[in-house]
Amino acid sequence: MFSGIVQDVGKIKSVSRNVKGMQIQIQTNQLRMEDLKVGDSICVNGVCLTVISFTENEFIADVMPETVQRTTFNHFTKGQQINLERSLRPIDGIDGHFVLGHINGTGILTKRIPNGNSIKLFFKYDSNLKYQIVEKGSIAVNGISLTVVQVIGNVFEVDIIPHTTQETTLNQLRIGGSVNLETDILGKYLMQKVGNKK
């Protein structure tokens, strides 16, 4: 489990693809590595991955075909920067919201508008997420915990402050760029419950 508070912007050192999925090697400069173990979880652009090997500033993870198909990982390239977060420990505070690292769909950045000391970002999302994204609810965009400002049709708005711009990859996202979306866990369970009553 994660909080959606990005701990480092890492860099993809290599991407290896085959019919069985893909394997990625990631470099990190700020992620806590001294207590890392094989089998630990790291959130990579919102996706929970399992560490299969590591050094003091790099780790390698396998990505199954299901994950490649349902996320933006199929666009990953060598040198690309990504958001990283280690899994929560019992002693850690939770400053964002509960993030599982299980992607519900992808979104596309459609508009970017400066607004005082913040930037408004508008994302078009898949229609199957319609009832899971709500105004003032939480959403993880590429693993970043954000608050939904408003929802208009199949587009939602989030506003980001300078700190988020500087400490994540959102400043590099261009119009038309794709992101991984994880909706709030409570909304998913409520939707499932309502669906079972129909």
Side-chain angles (χ1 to χ4, degrees), residues 7-18:
Q7 297 167 342
D8 187 26
V9 173
K11 181 185 292 186
I12 298 177
K13 290 290 294 292
S14 67
V15 180
S16 177
R17 294 181 172 89
N18 56 49

Side-chain angles (χ1 to χ4, degrees), residues 69-150:
Q69 293 167 11
R70 289 183 175 268
T71 70
T72 62
F73 277 33
N74 56 337
H75 302 304
F76 271 6
T77 57
K78 181 179 178 181
Q80 180 177 337
Q81 292 189 313
I82 66 284
N83 299 314
L84 301 174
E85 180 189 356
R86 288 281 307 270
S87 58
L88 290 171
R89 302 170 296 176
I91 62 171
D92 293 330
I94 302 174
D95 294 319
H97 72 281
F98 284 125
V99 175
L100 301 180
H102 303 160
I103 301 304
N104 301 110
T106 58
I108 297 174
L109 180 65
T110 60
K111 195 174 1 177
R112 179 193 296 265
I113 302 175
N115 181 39
N117 69 342
S118 67
I119 300 174
K120 294 174 176 284
L121 299 179
F122 296 82
F123 293 94
K124 183 179 180 180
Y125 60 91
D126 299 333
S127 58
N128 63 311
L129 301 181
K130 179 179 180 181
Y131 297 106
Q132 297 180 41
I133 300 176
V134 297
E135 185 175 316
K136 307 310 176 191
S138 296
I139 192 163
V141 177
N142 274 355
I144 307 162
S145 175
L146 297 171
T147 300
V148 177
V149 174
Q150 62 175 333

Side-chain angles (χ1 to χ4, degrees), residues 151-171:
V151 181
I152 307 169
N154 65 335
V155 174
F156 70 88
E157 174 198 340
V158 293
D159 293 3
I160 58 172
I161 59 174
H163 177 81
T164 305
T165 303
Q166 295 161 10
E167 299 297 324
T168 72
T169 60
L170 283 181
N171 62 328

